[in-house]
Amino acid sequence: MAALKLVCALVLCMLVVEPIATTAITCGDVTSKVAGCLSYLQNGGNVPKACCDGIRSLNMMARTTPDRQTVCGCLQTAAKAVKIKGNLAETLPAKCSVNIPYKISTSTNCK
């Protein structure tokens, strides 16, 4: 009977702890969050609301140093693959009222 109670307690703990566990950010996550920014980054104009929503969401997701490094690297890879205007990318966080600890640039050292 004591063993059954112990197993039930362990299962309950696993159910409570599992949703709290965090997963690493992927480049797919980054791409999906910044997809709304592509037209702005290529053509300028007004920053779409979907873009700023994605930037804010991505910033909230990337709380640890490894996550921020991943986001930085993914953004650099995406910027090289798609023609964008670098000066627009640099100003995007400020235009979306998001404070990030590094400059958005293909020359930023993500480490």
Side-chain angles (χ1 to χ4, degrees), residues 9-87:
L10 288 173
V11 169
L12 182 60
C13 287
M14 288 175 16
L15 291 173
V16 170
V17 172
E18 182 61 27
I20 296 172
T22 58
T23 57
I25 294 176
T26 66
C27 284
D29 296 329
V30 174
T31 301
S32 69
K33 296 293 182 191
V34 299
C37 303
L38 188 58
S39 64
Y40 168 76
L41 293 171
Q42 289 178 327
N43 306 311
N46 293 325
V47 179
K49 181 183 181 313
C51 173
C52 286
D53 290 347
I55 296 292
R56 284 187 205 99
S57 176
L58 186 59
N59 190 49
M60 289 174 51
M61 288 172 60
R63 290 294 183 195
T64 66
T65 298
D67 283 344
R68 289 193 180 273
Q69 289 170 330
T70 297
V71 170
C72 178
C74 294
L75 289 174
Q76 285 183 336
T77 300
K80 291 174 185 172
V82 179
K83 291 277 190 188
I84 64 168
K85 296 178 180 173
N87 61 324

